[in-house]
Amino acid sequence: MNTTYLTKTFSSLIRHRNYRLLFLSLSISQIGTSIQDIAQSWLILEKTHSAQAIALLTACLFTPYALLGLISAPLLEKLNPRITMIICQSLSMLSAIVLSLLCFTGKIELFHLYLLALLRGFIVVINNPVRQLLIRQCVERSQVPNAIALNTSVFNLAKVLGPAIGGLLLAGMGAAYCFLFNAVSFAFVIHSLFIMQEQELYPYANNKSKQSLLSRISAALGYVFSNRQLSVPFAVLFLVSLLCINFSVILPIISGILVQTNAKEFGYINALFGLGAFAGAIISAYLSKVSFNFMMVSSAGLGIMFMLLALAGDIWLTGSLLVLTGYFYTTYTTVTSAYIQLRSEEEYQVNTIALYTYILTGINPLGAFLIGFLEKTGGAATALVIPGIVALLSSLYGYLANKS
């Protein structure tokens, strides 16, 4: 393989030891998390056969972020990102151990899944912004787009391997082993965080304003929405995230209701989506392209895939379309993240990162219930067609607003 291609694609990994440690350990841990997600969704589908029950799981996971996500990042500026992440990963490990023990003893119930998802949601409120800050500390500013794209590839590689392994574990050994795998995987991240070189981390700009917390958040929001280079991509992100970037509900609807798969096929369908997402992350890392038009094309592509998936019906065609869906999802979110960060002034970067993560994650509960409502009232196909139309119209709005 061309060494220039490898050097360009993996430049932030080659240059920065701390980022290598974080990248490799997160690769393992995210596979475990993805395996746990598959097991949770399958257990709920098996018990209820309801998209709304899946939506409730998503709501439990993301409601803490919806309530606290905007105020968490300014508070976390005062904390050490590496130490804070060690605590978050340790609590996540404990939660996975509890799920595993409940399954091994045959005492797992729906309320256990919902309660522990809620606990995980509170951990995410702290972990997500801290992880973003730590990534920025691991690399120099010029390497941020590459590091973001490679970090995205960690999550999307997990969406390939995690569901595939999870499907096999579910079919062959049961959900308890899925949760156990996830518990063990957190140890790799905790170890890598302990052995990082603190002196090699790059500082980020703290907001030293004496304003109150709410005033600072208000100022950050005002900054975003008064800056056209930021307000338009944030508006499109909100619309697309609300109905399209909610795959913890959408993928079970496709595989469990539209196509009606078994446990192993359920894992493979999810893995095909992850394969496309991983390919999109690798391509984004190589291109390191931060273009507004590329962002809008990716959003439009996501919308088109949703509408085609509603019409597919066949498991093989559905799987093929999910590969493309994963690709457009990753290119859109990766380019949007890099675009927003690179066009934010240093003093506002912490809060613009938080706002991006909040929109991408925090509105999931509302989106999940909307998708569940669409599925209940109009059927599974309707729950895909309407989000697809929203993504297409949002992309058109973004393109025209940017052009004007």
Side-chain angles (χ1 to χ4, degrees), residues 165-308:
I165 297 169
L168 290 172
L169 283 176
L170 271 174
M173 302 177 75
Y177 287 93
C178 295
F179 299 133
L180 181 61
F181 186 106
N182 187 38
V184 172
S185 74
F186 286 113
F188 292 91
V189 182
I190 294 167
H191 175 69
S192 73
L193 291 168
F194 269 114
I195 64 174
M196 275 186 177
Q197 297 296 321
E198 188 90 27
Q199 65 271 21
E200 293 178 10
L201 295 173
Y202 292 83
Y204 59 88
N206 280 316
N207 190 332
K208 296 180 173 59
S209 169
K210 300 299 182 184
Q211 292 177 299
S212 70
L213 185 59
L214 289 177
S215 296
R216 290 172 61 193
I217 294 170
S218 177
L221 288 170
Y223 167 71
V224 165
F225 292 112
S226 65
N227 183 335
R228 195 170 182 80
Q229 280 194 316
L230 293 173
S231 61
V232 172
F234 266 115
V236 175
L237 179 68
F238 177 83
L239 294 170
V240 174
S241 295
L242 182 64
L243 289 176
C244 295
I245 304 179
N246 215 319
F247 292 103
S248 58
V249 180
I250 289 166
L251 290 176
I253 287 175
I254 292 170
S255 54
I257 298 174
L258 267 181
V259 186
Q260 296 184 342
T261 59
N262 59 35
K264 190 183 294 186
E265 291 168 341
F266 181 72
Y268 290 159
I269 283 287
N270 282 265
L272 287 171
F273 168 78
L275 178 63
F278 178 66
I282 292 297
I283 291 169
S284 297
Y286 173 70
L287 294 175
S288 292
K289 186 176 184 179
V290 185
S291 159
F292 188 91
N293 287 341
F294 186 52
M295 197 192 317
M296 294 303 104
V297 168
S298 296
S299 173
L302 187 62
I304 291 169
M305 290 304 108
F306 268 61
M307 290 185 282
L308 291 177

